[in-house]
Amino acid sequence: MAGSTSSVQRIIKTEVLIIGGGVTGALAAIGAARSGCKVTLAAKGSLGRSGNSIMAVATLRVDGESAYRSGQSKADRRYTKDVLFHNIVKDGYFLSEQNLAKRYVQEGGKRVDEFLGWGRQTRQRIIFIPPGVWLTTGKAVGAACRIGVRQTPGIQVFNDLWIHDLLTNQNRVVGAVGVDVLSGELIAIQARAVVLATGGYQPYSFKCSHSDMTGDGMAMAYRAGASLADMEFLLFLPAVMLAPRVHRGSILPFVLYVSRLIEPHIANTAGENLVEKIPPALRALAQGTEWTKLIYSYYWAKEILNGRATNRGGLFFDFSKTSKLKHIRGGLKAYLILRLMHHKGWVYQGKSIKDLYRTIRNGGRWEVGISNQYALGGIVIDENTATGLPGLFAGGEAASGIFGANRVASALSEGLVFGYLSGQAAAGYARNCEEARFDKQQLEAALQRLAGLFDQDGSLRAWEVNRRLEKAADEGFGLLRNEARLCSALAEVTRIREQDLPRIGLRGQGRAYNLEWLQALEVENRLTCLEAGIRAALAREESRGFHVREDFPQVDNAKWLKRILCSRANGAMVINTRRPLIDAVTPPHGPYDDIMAYAAHRSREAYAYKY
Amino acid sequence: MRIHLKIKRSRPASSDPSGYDTFRLSLPDEARWTILDVLDHIRMEVDHSIAYYRHSICGRGVCSRCLAKINGKVERICEYVVAGQDEIVLEPIGDQSVVRDLVTRKAGGQSPEMQP
């Protein structure tokens, strides 16, 4: 259907709407259905085949106590819930809402247990690694989710149903509007309660995550009146493949490196070994804990900033300097693991990696960079996953508040725990509230926003606007920041919003599978999230975890033990702060010279139970 | 290397009455582009209307949403590396209803296989 038709073509009525088709969405649907509600799940792609959930290596972390009770005799029972809780809060630089971290720790064991039950039905490999980590594949994670949903009555699933805006009526969420991607039909869903399980936002050009990571849920929540927080904290992964093109974005180098299956030098363009620039105490901290990500990314980013990286921001995994025998042994071990996990041998995530192994054997090198893998920030939630907007709940990567400024625990477990809690909370609300009714005017306006792009008289392509957005993020919003580059990025973001968005034109007027149309709508969400991230980074005049200000390198605990919130007021983005709930673990009073000085402090504390 | 791509189109008014459009591209010899890379290039530089499953993808062989028939065999377009073959023919998979070009209701939509 062409032209600017903006009337709704299908209305779906349900009790609880879950937006998102990954681990969080699946568990939310299950939680809500078990509470007796009629549940509809809308996935932008496909349930269990979308989002970052399937891109993971994948690990599910529980405390050793819970793992032991699930029958893992090798689990370390000294790795208690309390130890895990302390690690999350302290390694998160004390920005966690401690009640949320507590929930994560308390509920993790039982949720992982149940999930493993579904996982075993997929016939994929799931291996336990002491003290408390389960290792499997992203594919298995997705398959397990589908099994769990299939075995729970009362859940209706719509794939390729992309939701763009929430609907509210008298300050309560009553549903959402979106597009059936295949047909192009405009869809309205009426629901008593809505859960946002839409994952994170990734604003950069170098991607190791799923194409879904455009911050749709975060932007929707923001537009509807909820708050975002911690948007300045984006988690980076070091050693992601930059070249050749067919392997670009692969996290295989990182995985092999942290498992010690390969031991290359990490060489900068001057031939120096990055690892020698990392103080021994921090190297020890990185080995076997999740601190690897922050420590290595930090020193890596310094090399890039000081002009000792390639123009792609790459360093080299240099295999010429270390023992061939060691690498052949490592390569064989890697092969066996790949066979065990994926049954395919020299293939990782669909690509043949024989050529990569040959490079190792020949003493060559891989070009690797740092890539944003996960968003620590997102929608503000309380310990019941409520957003503050009646009827709206959120969980998983789309929400925030568990991990503070640095995540050291498993994001998949976050999805399991807060997915389930959000489903239950949404069902509780749905059972006690009045029937949902659309505000007709608002519905028409929302549909007009979707369809109106077809009338927009512009010549700019959506993918070009995306590129400009990525360039602004790459140049001004990396891991290492300063006021000048952040202001420059913000100016460009503002320019894109004011000048480029209204000039986007759609070449195809047909609605069926109109990718350009969807990307034009998506880019607005990405832009909102990026703007929130930059504004928060400008406001936070200190450094903490995955936010590093060259002009304010100190970790300033006296002034900055607070979260930065972004919300909409009179059409503009406003910043507020609030102290996280600190009721169990007391933060330090004094400052640290920089984020690595704090890391060094952590390495000296009792850190007996490493991952 | 020169690559020669024939893509089955579903629009009745496609330029070839047989329903296939042909694209000839020149890529650097050492390029290791996948079919996905090639289609992205065609969509952005040559023919904006070409449709293939792209809106929610992993891009690396995990999700299996990008299935298409490549020279008669069902493959993931994100995995298949082009290597200067004589001709690459792309067609939608199976006999499921075609939405547009290479997008079908089998790889997307509410088909029974996708319903939990």
Side-chain angles (χ1 to χ4, degrees):
Chain A
M1 190 178 297
S4 61
T5 313
S6 67
S7 43
V8 67
Q9 285 147 306
R10 194 160 24 129
I11 297 183
I12 297 166
K13 289 199 167 114
T14 191
E15 290 180 331
V16 176
L17 170 64
I18 312 293
I19 305 176
V23 165
T24 307
L27 270 292
I30 292 166
R34 282 184 185 164
S35 301
C37 279
K38 176 180 174 192
V39 179
T40 300
L41 186 152
K44 179 151 87 170
S46 166
L47 172 67
R49 292 191 174 94
S50 299
N52 265 350
S53 303
I54 62 165
M55 307 300 283
V57 171
T59 56
L60 296 158
R61 178 188 302 278
V62 289
D63 58 283
E65 226 176 352
S66 300
Y68 188 83
R69 274 205 308 272
S70 328
Q72 285 305 316
S73 55
K74 287 208 185 73
D76 187 347
R77 276 175 295 172
R78 295 169 306 164
Y79 183 59
T80 60
K81 287 188 174 32
D82 210 47
V83 168
L84 178 56
F85 173 73
H86 274 251
N87 282 351
I88 289 172
V89 172
K90 291 175 179 173
D91 292 343
Y93 288 72
F94 285 93
L95 278 192
S96 306
E97 301 282 351
Q98 292 187 11
N99 54 345
L100 285 179
K102 220 171 275 170
R103 278 296 207 140
Y104 173 89
V105 169
Q106 277 161 356
E107 304 291 312
K110 85 170 94 112
R111 289 275 76 79
V112 168
D113 233 4
E114 178 177 53
F115 189 76
L116 291 173
W118 304 325
R120 285 182 194 107
Q121 296 174 56
T122 68
R123 289 171 316 205
Q124 302 263 340
R125 298 284 180 180
I126 309 175
I127 302 169
F128 180 75
I129 301 173
V133 177
W134 293 91
L135 176 70
T136 184
T137 64
K139 210 171 202 162
V141 166
C145 286
R146 289 196 301 279
I147 287 172
V149 169
R150 203 178 293 139
Q151 291 176 358
T152 307
I155 302 174
Q156 175 190 49
V157 175
F158 289 100
N159 291 326
D160 301 309
L161 176 42
W162 184 76
I163 304 291
H164 185 63
D165 263 316
L166 297 169
L167 294 170
T168 57
N169 193 350
Q170 300 187 321
N171 197 41
R172 177 196 148 193
V173 169
V174 294
V177 291
V179 177
D180 178 322
V181 177
L182 302 190
S183 68
E185 288 175 308
L186 298 177
I187 312 288
I189 305 179
Q190 192 174 77
R192 289 162 174 257
V194 177
V195 176
L196 289 168
T198 47
Y201 84 100
Q202 207 280 35
Y204 308 99
S205 61
F206 182 35
K207 294 169 185 19
C208 62
S209 48
H210 194 276
S211 76
D212 279 347
M213 299 298 107
T214 50
D216 296 346
M218 293 179 188
M220 268 194 265
Y222 170 84
R223 285 194 290 270
S227 293
L228 306 176
D230 306 335
M231 298 295 278
E232 67 273 37
F233 301 107
L234 287 168
L235 191 148
F236 283 85
L237 209 65
V240 178
M241 198 75 89
L242 270 167
R245 190 185 168 124
V246 69
H247 294 302
R248 187 179 163 90
S250 171
I251 66 169
L252 184 65
F254 171 75
V255 173
L256 292 176
Y257 188 83
V258 296
S259 337
R260 320 255 212 112
L261 291 172
I262 56 174
E263 287 173 45
H265 279 206
I266 305 180
N268 64 17
T269 51
E272 300 164 309
N273 187 357
L274 176 79
V275 177
E276 270 153 36
K277 299 195 175 193
I278 303 176
L282 296 181
R283 258 184 267 163
L285 180 64
Q287 255 170 33
T289 72
E290 297 271 329
W291 274 96
T292 317
K293 296 177 186 178
L294 179 55
I295 291 171
Y296 276 73
S297 295
Y298 174 78
Y299 284 95
W300 206 294
K302 278 191 172 263
E303 295 302 293
I304 296 172
L305 214 61
N306 291 321
R308 289 189 292 265
T310 68
N311 54 17
R312 282 189 280 231
L315 300 180
F316 296 103
F317 265 19
D318 184 344
F319 296 101
S320 68
K321 304 245 171 23
T322 41
S323 135
K324 212 174 221 181
L325 185 61
K326 206 179 240 183
H327 280 132
I328 291 174
R329 271 210 302 262
L332 288 173
K333 263 196 233 160
Y335 178 83
L336 288 171
I337 290 173
L338 287 170
R339 267 221 83 94
L340 191 71
M341 301 299 279
H342 299 275
H343 314 291
K344 273 197 225 173
W346 282 126
V347 174
Y348 180 72
Q349 286 185 329
K351 307 276 189 336
S352 163
I353 54 168
K354 257 193 219 147
D355 58 323
L356 296 181
Y357 180 61
R358 233 176 281 128
T359 307
I360 300 177
R361 282 232 329 263
N362 298 335
R365 57 189 201 177
W366 299 347
E367 188 180 347
V368 282
I370 59 175
S371 181
N372 165 222
Q373 187 211 23
Y374 173 90
L376 283 148
I379 304 166
V380 175
I381 55 170
D382 68 15
E383 72 181 79
N384 297 312
T385 76
T387 62
L389 193 52
L392 186 65
F393 304 84
E397 198 182 342
S400 62
I402 302 156
F403 303 119
N406 174 31
R407 173 171 65 78
V408 294
S410 150
L412 287 176
S413 300
E414 175 191 20
L416 291 175
V417 170
F418 289 89
Y420 196 77
L421 286 174
S422 66
Q424 295 210 298
Y429 179 90
R431 278 201 312 270
N432 292 313
C433 69
E434 309 257 311
E435 204 200 328
R437 252 178 269 275
F438 288 147
D439 171 336
K440 212 164 171 282
Q441 256 184 336
Q442 204 202 83
L443 173 60
E444 311 247 303
L447 294 168
Q448 180 50 42
R449 268 160 52 84
L450 289 178
L453 267 162
F454 286 95
D455 294 331
Q456 206 161 269
D457 186 19
S459 57
L460 208 45
R461 304 272 73 85
W463 53 259
E464 172 59 31
V465 178
N466 249 320
R467 265 194 210 163
R468 294 177 185 185
L469 181 161
E470 288 171 355
K471 186 164 186 277
D474 287 346
E475 289 175 359
F477 188 55
L479 173 55
L480 304 183
R481 302 150 176 181
N482 66 27
E483 183 177 356
R485 289 200 304 272
L486 286 168
C487 284
S488 181
L490 184 58
E492 174 61 1
V493 161
T494 306
R495 192 202 65 73
I496 292 172
R497 180 176 295 287
E498 290 172 359
Q499 292 175 19
D500 288 354
L501 291 191
R503 283 175 49 226
I504 291 178
L506 303 182
R507 269 180 296 197
Q509 285 291 306
R511 299 271 177 112
Y513 211 84
N514 191 325
L515 188 68
E516 203 175 15
W517 178 32
L518 296 181
Q519 290 185 336
L521 293 165
E522 254 177 9
V523 77
E524 192 195 332
N525 293 336
R526 231 177 158 203
L527 200 64
T528 298
C529 292
L530 177 58
E531 182 181 345
I534 297 170
R535 286 189 186 279
L538 268 167
R540 184 176 292 276
E541 291 181 344
E542 64 135 17
S543 294
R544 189 174 295 266
F546 275 98
H547 162 80
V548 183
R549 286 283 298 261
E550 292 157 25
D551 41 358
F552 296 97
Q554 269 200 347
V555 178
D556 185 350
N557 291 313
K559 192 164 171 222
W560 278 107
L561 264 174
K562 43 194 178 186
R563 303 174 69 196
I564 296 176
L565 273 56
C566 299
S567 55
R568 191 152 85 160
N570 299 320
M573 189 176 283
V574 296
I575 301 278
N576 285 301
T577 61
R578 88 172 200 199
R579 196 166 161 79
L581 179 66
I582 294 174
D583 61 354
V585 190
T586 315
H589 294 294
Y592 291 87
D593 286 345
D594 56 40
I595 63 164
M596 289 297 133
Y598 178 70
H601 163 77
R602 282 294 290 151
S603 74
R604 287 189 294 271
E605 291 188 319
Y607 213 92
Y609 309 111
K610 299 185 183 188
Y611 151 68
Chain B
M1 74 178 112
R2 303 198 62 78
I3 60 168
H4 180 172
L5 210 67
K6 255 176 78 170
I7 306 177
K8 181 106 200 284
R9 307 298 300 269
S10 57
R11 290 179 308 156
S14 81
S15 46
D16 182 332
S18 72
Y20 289 80
D21 280 352
T22 301
F23 300 89
R24 285 182 180 82
L25 300 170
S26 224
L27 301 179
D29 279 338
E30 72 281 5
R32 293 178 61 207
W33 284 34
T34 60
I35 298 279
L36 178 63
D37 295 330
V38 174
L39 288 176
D40 281 346
H41 174 86
I42 291 173
R43 176 172 53 86
M44 290 192 281
E45 306 295 333
V46 183
D47 180 351
H48 69 90
S49 67
I50 187 87
Y52 50 101
Y53 201 87
R54 185 65 174 88
H55 70 285
S56 171
I57 58 165
C58 70
R60 44 179 34 90
V62 181
C63 73
S64 299
R65 305 295 286 167
C66 61
L67 298 175
K69 258 200 223 158
I70 305 178
N71 293 337
K73 188 165 169 250
V74 176
E75 310 262 13
R76 294 179 194 87
I77 63 173
C78 71
E79 290 190 282
Y80 192 101
V81 178
V82 297
Q85 290 106 311
D86 288 331
E87 188 182 69
I88 303 172
V89 179
L90 297 181
E91 293 161 312
I93 58 170
D95 53 2
Q96 305 295 315
S97 58
V98 173
V99 172
R100 210 155 70 74
D101 301 339
L102 302 176
V103 179
T104 66
R105 288 206 172 273
K106 170 92 175 151
Q110 317 311 320
S111 73
E113 189 234 85
M114 295 301 155
Q115 278 285 10

